[in-house]
């Protein structure tokens, strides 16, 4: 660190992303990306002619993309704001609504803690129950902004819309952000509730279910006044936040909804298959509703499993945190990748000798 660094940022602990391998080829199951390519329409949008257009700034209001998303989730355009990944819209929401502080679960998306520290927010951490489930009553009248990932990461546990509604109703004077990064894997969104509650903000991303993590597209859905707040902040900070190419790719992805729906069904099916195989090897885990499983083995520390898998060419995600150190989060890949993973884990756990 230089001696010029602003003292308020000197103790920042930045988000530690899953490893991006450069030295050798791994089967990459560590950052919940899709194992499948974007839809044909998206791929066709990457043309030489569109490359030439990159000399022009993108549309700061991303009108075409906002309109496409609004149509897909059945709200008005004034209820949608697309951003450069959902991480951006999360940050804007933290800036806009956490003047009284923020609350989130002890085991959830790690970026919330990073953002809370960056913006020096009064932070309340609410422990999940022993089985990692969330007790809605712990979230009643907290007197501060709340953010909940639903399904949660890294547990994959999902709360039904009536539970979310209960929490939103019990915090009438503060914004409740529901981060639906994994909603497309067979779950129901609470976006329809934005018309009933002016303090509900929902975020989603194109990074997981739409195979576009590298394009950086996310969005918020909420009451028009909330969207206006976020736009005010975005346009004071990074008005051209989504590249021209990504805006176009995003529109095409929305148009190809059927392609992605099929892939989500396929990923859920592979997840269920994987979980059955892992249980047969002695693993236990949460009932994940996302594109990953969260599992542990009674005979091996999580870190050992991650290390042994690495030696066999697989990257998975181990979190070095006391409460979840026995666990690993494993992204669901293709059928073939998961067959290979199960085979590797069979060798690691010694199950190949008994079968
Ligand atoms: C992956 C993820 C995000 C970030 O998504 P981007 O749109 O790629 O920024 C946000 N929230 C949760 C819970 C995630 O897992």
């Amino acid at each position: 660190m230089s001696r010029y660094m602003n003292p308020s940022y000197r103790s920042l602990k930045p988000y530690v992303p899953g490893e991006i391998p450069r030295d050798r080829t791994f089967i990459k199951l560590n950052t919940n990306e899709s194992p499948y390519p974007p839809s044909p329409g998206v791929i066709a949008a990457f043309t030489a002619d569109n490359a030439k257009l990159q000399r022009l700034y993108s549309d700061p209001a991303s009108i075409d993309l906002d309109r496409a998303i609004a149509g897909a989730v059945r709200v008005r355009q004034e209820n949608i704001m697309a951003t450069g990944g959902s991480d951006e819209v999360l940050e804007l929401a933290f800036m806009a609504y956490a003047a009284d502080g923020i609350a989130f679960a002890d085991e959830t998306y790690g970026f919330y803690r990073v953002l809370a520290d960056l913006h020096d927010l009064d932070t309340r951490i609410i422990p999940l129950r022993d089985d990692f489930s969330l007790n809605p009553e712990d979230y009643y009248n907290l007197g501060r902004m709340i953010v909940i990932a639903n399904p949660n990461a890294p547990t994959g546990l999902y709360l039904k819309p009536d539970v979310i509604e209960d929490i939103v109703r019990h915090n009438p004077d503060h914004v409740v952000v529901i981060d639906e990064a994994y909603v497309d894997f067979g779950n129901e969104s609470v976006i329809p509730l934005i018309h009933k509650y002016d303090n509900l903000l929902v975020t989603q991303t194109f990074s997981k279910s739409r195979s576009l993590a590298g394009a950086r597209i996310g969005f918020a859905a909420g009451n028009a006044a909330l969207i206006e707040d976020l736009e005010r902040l975005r346009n004071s900070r990074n008005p051209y936040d989504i590249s021209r190419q990504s805006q176009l790719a995003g529109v095409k992805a929305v148009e190809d909804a059927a392609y992605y729906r099929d892939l989500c069904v396929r990923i859920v099916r592979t997840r269920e298959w994987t979980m059955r195989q892992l249980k047969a090897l002695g693993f236990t885990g949460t009932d994940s509703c996302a594109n990953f499983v969260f599992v542990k083995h009674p005979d091996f520390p999580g870190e050992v499993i991650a290390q042994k898998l690495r030696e066999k060419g697989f990257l998975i995600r181990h979190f070095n945190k006391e409460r979840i150190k026995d666990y690993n989060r494993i992204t669901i890949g293709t059928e073939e990748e998961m067959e290979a993973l199960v085979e590797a884990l069979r060798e690691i756990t010694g199950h190949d000798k008994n079968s």
Side-chain angles (χ1 to χ4, degrees):
M1 197 181 314
S2 84
R3 63 196 171 92
Y4 309 105
M5 180 66 154
N6 182 333
S8 15
Y9 298 130
R10 285 186 186 183
S11 62
L12 272 187
K13 291 191 197 68
Y15 181 70
V16 183
E19 177 182 357
I20 296 176
R22 306 211 181 272
D23 47 340
R24 54 181 275 208
T25 39
F26 286 96
I27 294 184
K28 193 172 178 305
L29 308 174
N30 66 340
T31 52
N32 299 340
E33 292 142 324
S34 175
Y36 301 110
S39 65
V42 170
I43 291 173
F46 285 77
T47 61
D49 280 347
N50 282 329
K52 290 177 191 156
L53 284 174
Q54 303 306 305
R55 74 186 177 80
L56 300 171
Y57 279 112
S58 59
D59 171 14
S62 60
I63 287 173
D64 294 339
L65 180 55
D66 285 19
R67 185 182 298 132
I69 293 169
V73 301
R74 296 162 199 278
V75 298
R76 283 203 296 275
Q77 197 171 330
E78 65 184 23
N79 299 119
I80 295 293
M81 179 171 96
T83 53
S86 56
D87 284 346
E88 179 180 23
V89 82
L90 288 168
E91 173 162 39
L92 298 176
F94 277 49
M95 291 169 73
Y97 305 120
D100 293 331
I102 186 143
F104 47 86
D106 58 343
E107 299 308 337
T108 188
Y109 185 37
F111 198 54
Y112 303 154
R113 164 62 89 169
V114 175
L115 284 178
D117 289 347
L118 175 61
H119 293 285
D120 203 20
L121 305 178
D122 180 34
T123 304
R124 193 155 146 203
I125 303 292
I126 305 186
L128 297 168
R129 296 188 186 109
D130 286 346
D131 62 357
F132 297 118
S133 65
L134 178 152
N135 178 11
E137 290 175 27
D138 291 346
Y139 289 77
Y140 286 179
N141 300 307
L142 293 182
R144 57 184 64 224
M145 173 182 155
I146 293 169
V147 57
I148 297 173
N150 191 41
N152 194 19
T155 64
L157 295 182
Y158 167 70
L159 300 167
K160 294 221 160 65
D162 59 317
V163 179
I164 299 296
E165 182 167 7
D166 183 43
I167 292 170
V168 173
R169 202 174 335 107
H170 279 90
N171 290 278
D173 296 325
H174 290 88
V175 169
V176 177
V177 175
I178 304 300
D179 176 352
E180 295 189 331
Y182 301 102
V183 73
D184 295 326
F185 300 100
N187 309 293
E188 194 181 339
S189 172
V190 293
I191 287 179
L193 293 177
I194 64 168
H195 301 300
K196 198 166 162 192
Y197 299 96
D198 68 0
N199 63 326
L200 171 63
L201 188 78
V202 183
T203 65
Q204 291 190 12
T205 174
F206 283 43
S207 297
K208 316 289 169 43
S209 59
R210 289 188 186 84
S211 308
L212 281 174
R216 311 305 304 129
I217 308 169
F219 67 91
N223 175 279
L226 295 183
I227 296 301
E228 209 181 299
D229 299 338
L230 299 175
E231 279 171 347
R232 177 185 293 267
L233 287 172
R234 188 255 307 273
N235 296 336
S236 307
R237 197 170 148 275
N238 188 14
Y240 306 105
D241 58 343
I242 318 178
S243 77
R244 207 163 237 287
Q245 185 62 51
S246 289
Q247 291 190 25
L248 184 57
V251 170
K252 298 296 175 188
V254 173
E255 287 172 1
D256 287 343
Y259 170 89
Y260 293 104
R261 249 193 317 272
D262 288 350
L263 288 185
C264 288
V265 168
R266 192 164 163 192
I267 288 168
V268 168
R269 217 185 300 129
T270 308
R271 181 191 72 212
E272 287 166 356
W273 178 87
T274 303
M275 202 58 200
R276 283 196 301 277
Q277 305 303 311
L278 295 184
K279 281 181 177 164
L281 299 179
F283 285 89
T284 55
T286 53
D287 285 322
S288 173
C289 292
N291 65 338
F292 54 81
V293 292
F294 188 59
V295 291
K296 65 173 176 177
H297 195 281
D299 304 333
F300 302 91
E303 202 173 357
V304 170
I305 297 222
Q307 184 50 39
K308 286 184 181 293
L309 275 177
R310 192 172 207 290
E311 286 159 16
K312 289 177 179 289
F314 297 86
L315 291 181
I316 63 171
R317 193 79 203 261
H318 178 259
F319 296 94
N320 210 351
K321 284 186 73 186
E322 188 54 31
R323 188 172 174 189
I324 55 171
K325 66 180 188 335
D326 292 342
Y327 287 82
N328 280 295
R329 191 195 68 192
I330 307 176
T331 305
I332 300 302
T334 63
E335 290 89 347
E336 297 72 26
E337 287 171 338
M338 299 323 273
E339 280 164 20
L341 173 93
V342 168
E343 222 23 69
L345 285 171
R346 198 188 306 282
E347 287 164 18
I348 290 166
T349 58
H351 265 254
D352 53 339
K353 297 178 202 90
N354 328 335
S355 56

